[in-house]
Amino acid sequence: MKLYLFYDDGAQAGLGHYRRVSALAHKLALLSSRTNPIESVLCPIITHKLDEVENLKAFCAQILSGEALGAVVDSYVFGREHFALLDSVFARLVCFDDTNRAVYPPQSFILNAAPNAHKLYAARTSRHLLGLGFGLSDEAFTPITAVRERVGDIFVSFGGSDLGNLSAQILPFIESSVLFAPHNPSLDSMPCVIHLVLGRHYPHTPPTRPYLKHYRDLSPVQMHALMRRCDIAISAGGGTLIELAASLMPTIMIESAPNQHFQISQFAALGAFKHAQSLAQIPTLIQSLLPKFARNQAKTTLKALRIGLELESALGNIFGLHS
């Protein structure tokens, strides 16, 4: 059986959409039997020009009756007509959502794994998979429980594109924090190291600093290995937040796109992460995470969130995959 994965791609979209549908496809592959494995068919929307409805119709016309297990869609580009077309082709349609867009067919399943996502859906039904219990991240992101005495390494990531170049804008604010203050006894002889992860579509010249290391287009395994080297993180509010939460990483969040606002605000309300409403707040928030007890408390809060525990059962029911 084939599972079709439609997702926004390219520099404007970053990598979050691809990472989410890929993680869901991996979950389904684990649920499927060896005798009837699931084949994932990647359908990057912009690359194949599927945002044009006629092209999407032509693509769907080639799908053989009975060969498709269903479709998963993670897109802001698709509108009501695109989703209606997919609903007519696929018996099972799962749609990732962040803001309760009014474009999804009534019989589709809506997946929003933001904390307290139920607040966005007044008319929710059993077809709404809402909240952190349905959180998705690659299995590479396992809990990091160790807490060092002092903060010596900071993980920084602003997604696959970072068109606004927060990666460069934030550096002076990190450097103005107490971590880089002259004669700070907590620094010993080695100042803090900033580990900056740049996405595949990062369009700017990478910034340089004496204590900056930058990395490009890391795999989930490489990303998590870097997280393990770090004490705190600074991130935008997309899919990386779920990965950081699953890794129990004390994190400062800053919004890089409007669709991130709800997830950021809810993580902050839970006390799981710190919310920087401007770059100017970064130094103060870094200082709040310097005490070891503060980072321990953050990990305890994140551990209690129990991310993704409801997802496997829900996917098994939707796609008829039962052990």
Side-chain angles (χ1 to χ4, degrees), residues 27-289:
K27 291 279 188 186
L28 285 171
L30 293 176
L31 287 171
S32 66
S33 67
R34 293 184 180 180
T35 57
N36 192 21
I38 295 172
E39 177 187 349
S40 294
V41 181
L42 295 174
C43 309
I45 290 169
I46 300 303
T47 294
H48 295 327
K49 298 182 179 179
L50 300 178
D51 53 318
E52 300 176 20
V53 174
E54 290 306 313
N55 289 344
L56 183 61
K57 285 181 180 178
F59 179 88
C60 290
Q62 300 176 47
I63 299 173
L64 298 177
S65 177
E67 74 164 7
L69 177 67
V72 176
V73 188
D74 193 343
S75 175
Y76 299 125
V77 172
F78 276 2
R80 190 186 301 274
E81 189 174 358
H82 300 86
F83 284 103
L85 174 58
L86 294 179
D87 187 50
S88 71
V89 173
F90 296 99
R92 303 172 181 91
L93 182 62
V94 175
C95 306
F96 282 93
D97 182 56
D98 297 309
T99 57
N100 193 9
R101 295 176 67 207
V103 295
Y104 308 113
Q107 296 306 306
S108 61
F109 292 88
I110 309 303
L111 176 55
N112 185 334
N116 298 320
H118 63 277
K119 294 180 179 179
L120 290 174
Y121 303 87
R124 60 187 180 273
T125 70
S126 61
R127 290 179 173 266
H128 288 77
L129 314 179
L130 306 176
L132 285 171
F134 300 97
L136 265 170
S137 67
D138 191 279
E139 291 184 348
F141 297 99
T142 55
I144 303 168
T145 56
V147 181
R148 295 192 293 184
E149 288 297 325
R150 72 175 189 89
V151 173
D153 296 84
I154 300 178
F155 175 96
V156 180
S157 174
F158 292 107
S161 299
D162 188 19
L163 299 179
N165 206 10
L166 278 170
S167 296
Q169 293 182 49
I170 201 169
L171 295 178
F173 295 92
I174 298 175
E175 293 165 339
S176 68
S177 74
V178 67
L179 283 173
F180 287 86
H183 312 301
N184 183 345
S186 70
L187 294 180
D188 301 323
S189 60
M190 176 66 73
C192 182
V193 179
I194 302 170
H195 300 270
L196 176 62
V197 179
L198 304 174
R200 180 183 305 168
H201 302 297
Y202 182 73
H204 313 285
T205 301
T208 57
R209 292 289 197 280
Y211 307 115
L212 171 69
K213 296 181 179 181
H214 57 75
Y215 313 79
R216 191 112 191 193
D217 194 21
L218 297 184
S219 69
V221 171
Q222 292 169 324
M223 185 91 86
H224 189 256
L226 183 58
M227 289 178 186
R228 285 191 172 276
R229 294 174 54 187
C230 297
D231 303 290
I232 62 174
I234 302 175
S235 172
T240 304
L241 277 190
I242 298 291
E243 297 168 351
L244 288 164
S247 302
L248 310 186
M249 178 65 69
T251 297
I252 297 167
M253 310 170 290
I254 188 162
E255 189 175 309
S256 65
N259 64 292
Q260 299 174 0
H261 178 76
F262 180 79
Q263 176 159 267
I264 285 178
S265 66
Q266 297 306 304
F267 265 118
L270 292 175
F273 290 146
K274 306 283 186 179
H275 181 191
Q277 299 188 39
S278 69
L279 290 173
Q281 293 181 351
I282 292 294
T284 300
L285 293 176
I286 287 176
Q287 187 166 359
S288 72
L289 290 174

